[in-house]
Amino acid sequence: VTAFLPTTITMERTRIEQALRRIKAAMAGGCGPGAQILGCNLEGPFINAKYKGAHDERYIIPPEWAWLQPYLEVIRLITVAPEIEGALAFIKKMVASGVVVSLGHTNATYEEMVQGMNAGATHVTHLFNAMPPLHHRRPGAVGAALLQPVDCELIADDIHVAPAVQELVLKMKGQQRLVLITDAMRACLLADGTYELGGLAVQVKAGQARLPDGTLAGSTLVLNRALANFRRNTGLPFEEVIKLATVNPARILRLENRKGNIAPGMDADLVLWDEDFHVLMTYVAGEQVFSLR
């Protein structure tokens, strides 16, 4: 990973504000060598409590434009449940400010999802997770995500979404509309045990992160494994799978210097893999930041 969006979760306002201030400082050059911070992915607190996942229900609130207005230069992506009160007007204001709006953690009907998209939302947060399953008489959020021209995130750890469903989504959406994400929490690359996520205790066992009631609480996935899993599950060629973590997110975030290709004028963010997606070497802005040897 050469660049990323640190992601918040539903917490007290003061903790979210603190995170946004720290992200802003890191964007200004305080994060040192390594993967660069492009802005914040604000996942919550404007979500539906019924599909809160691992978010703390105590801090779920209706959308508040005035609260976030001072932080617009930091927020690049935000998740909103389109069916909650005030969501559509909020989506319009965020989109007008240049923020990419994603629909997720939602109990929206198909029609409510389309209304959110008509208001300007162009993205769906971790498709299938934290939303009702597809039903033939209630297509809901999943049906709208699959049929409408929006970009969809997918957690390809083979836990959040089964391999066969990953193949189905590729056939429905095409590779141009899919983004592989990790949804990784702090236990990523660490041993099994008890960790914290937004104030909630998370138990990690055999690499799976869950709340005490069994709810999935993010993942311990790393992105190169997501690429390898998706290639194995779908048969998509190596050079095409890579686009789901490079070309597509760069387009969505309108990153003119990071378009997922090697050409004059592009940032020299480069990763060298072997044929099984093991990382051998990483460059950020032309500087080597990792080497296996």
Side-chain angles (χ1 to χ4, degrees):
V1 173
T2 62
F4 70 109
L5 301 181
T7 301
T8 62
I9 195 168
T10 300
M11 304 180 289
E12 304 98 316
R13 287 174 182 255
T14 53
R15 292 187 66 189
I16 293 174
E17 291 166 0
Q18 184 181 56
L20 289 168
R21 288 193 297 268
R22 289 179 173 177
I23 291 169
K24 182 178 180 178
M27 291 169 66
C31 57
Q36 297 300 295
I37 292 174
L38 303 175
C40 178
N41 172 18
L42 200 73
E43 188 179 328
F46 312 133
I47 59 176
N48 191 314
K50 186 171 182 178
Y51 285 92
K52 63 184 185 295
H55 291 243
D56 193 330
E57 185 173 353
R58 294 176 297 170
Y59 304 112
I60 295 174
I61 58 174
E64 290 191 26
W65 163 257
W67 173 41
L68 293 185
Q69 194 172 9
Y71 302 102
L72 290 176
E73 62 181 315
V74 180
I75 302 169
R76 299 295 298 269
L77 177 67
I78 186 169
T79 295
V80 180
E83 72 277 16
I84 62 178
E85 184 178 356
L88 298 182
F90 177 81
I91 290 170
K92 291 177 182 178
K93 288 183 177 180
M94 294 303 289
V95 171
S97 299
V99 178
V100 179
V101 175
S102 185
L103 306 181
H105 285 277
T106 175
N107 191 35
T109 64
Y110 181 92
E111 292 75 17
E112 288 169 332
M113 286 288 286
V114 171
Q115 287 175 353
M117 295 168 190
N118 289 340
T122 56
H123 201 78
V124 174
T125 302
H126 41 57
L127 180 62
F128 296 107
N129 300 116
M131 60 187 67
L134 181 69
H135 188 280
H136 59 288
R137 288 191 294 272
R138 296 183 296 277
V142 173
L146 292 175
L147 283 177
Q148 298 299 318
V150 291
D151 300 300
C152 295
E153 300 173 355
L154 204 64
I155 307 171
D157 60 356
D158 298 348
I159 299 167
H160 283 77
V161 181
V165 178
Q166 294 176 35
E167 184 178 9
L168 173 65
V169 172
L170 177 61
K171 290 181 178 180
M172 288 287 294
K173 296 296 297 183
Q175 66 193 60
Q176 293 80 13
R177 287 293 191 179
L178 286 178
V179 178
L180 296 183
I181 65 166
T182 65
D183 206 42
M185 47 89 73
R186 67 178 59 185
C188 181
L189 294 176
L190 299 178
D192 286 359
T194 301
Y195 298 87
E196 183 263 346
L197 179 64
L200 301 179
V202 176
Q203 186 69 34
V204 177
K205 185 176 181 181
Q208 295 189 26
R210 296 182 182 271
L211 298 180
D213 65 2
T215 300
L216 285 168
S219 82
T220 61
L221 181 67
V222 290
L223 195 54
N224 55 314
R225 288 300 92 202
L227 292 164
N229 291 343
F230 197 78
R231 181 180 65 164
R232 181 184 65 249
N233 295 334
T234 66
L236 196 63
F238 187 101
E239 63 275 13
E240 298 301 322
V241 173
I242 292 171
K243 294 179 181 179
L244 277 62
T246 55
V247 173
N248 291 356
R251 169 184 56 79
I252 291 163
L253 296 175
R254 298 184 285 275
L255 301 173
E256 293 301 318
N257 294 327
R258 286 183 168 98
K259 293 186 176 178
N261 60 350
I262 302 172
M266 299 294 104
D267 289 355
D269 288 3
L270 305 167
V271 181
L272 178 64
W273 288 299
D274 67 13
E275 61 183 12
D276 293 319
F277 285 106
H278 296 115
V279 180
L280 305 178
M281 199 173 298
T282 307
Y283 286 80
V284 175
E287 299 292 330
Q288 187 182 91
V289 297
F290 173 79
S291 177
L292 189 62
R293 297 183 178 88

